[in-house]
Amino acid sequence: MNMRKLKLLVVFAISAPALSVVPAAADNGSQDGDRMICKYRQQTGTRFKTKICKTAAQWEAMAEEHRNALKQIVDLPQIKVCGPNGCD
């Protein structure tokens, strides 16, 4: 299996529970970034779900962190090139 595909598979397997959230109720009438959004996350190994509430800005920051982490993993070099004096 290609190393890049393996890395992507691992990232998606780790982030799968984060992708399976369902938005619940939400608006408390404040500014858009301060709006509370509750999502239900499926717990691994059980049929019960956990309710997680964060502001819209917090959800967006978390999504941005996940995108950056995925980009770093995908952009890692797959082949290490060594010179005559060895590898760095």
Side-chain angles (χ1 to χ4, degrees), residues 63-77:
E64 184 65 29
E65 287 177 22
H66 289 165
R67 283 190 292 269
N68 289 338
L70 180 61
K71 185 176 180 346
Q72 286 178 354
I73 291 172
V74 169
D75 290 343
L76 285 175

Side-chain angles (χ1 to χ4, degrees), residues 5-15:
K5 288 180 183 178
L6 180 62
K7 288 178 185 178
L8 284 174
L9 180 63
V10 169
V11 170
F12 287 125
I14 291 171
S15 64

Side-chain angles (χ1 to χ4, degrees), residues 10-39:
V10 169
V11 170
F12 287 125
I14 291 171
S15 64
L19 297 175
S20 66
V21 293
V22 179
D27 198 5
N28 61 4
S30 60
Q31 293 179 351
D32 211 25
D34 295 334
R35 182 172 50 102
M36 287 299 288
I37 299 173
C38 296
K39 298 181 181 185

Side-chain angles (χ1 to χ4, degrees), residues 17-25 38-43 49-53 59:
L19 297 175
S20 66
V21 293
V22 179
C38 296
K39 298 181 181 185
Y40 289 92
R41 180 173 291 176
Q42 181 74 38
Q43 289 291 330
K49 295 181 181 180
T50 302
K51 184 177 181 180
I52 301 172
C53 295
W59 283 115

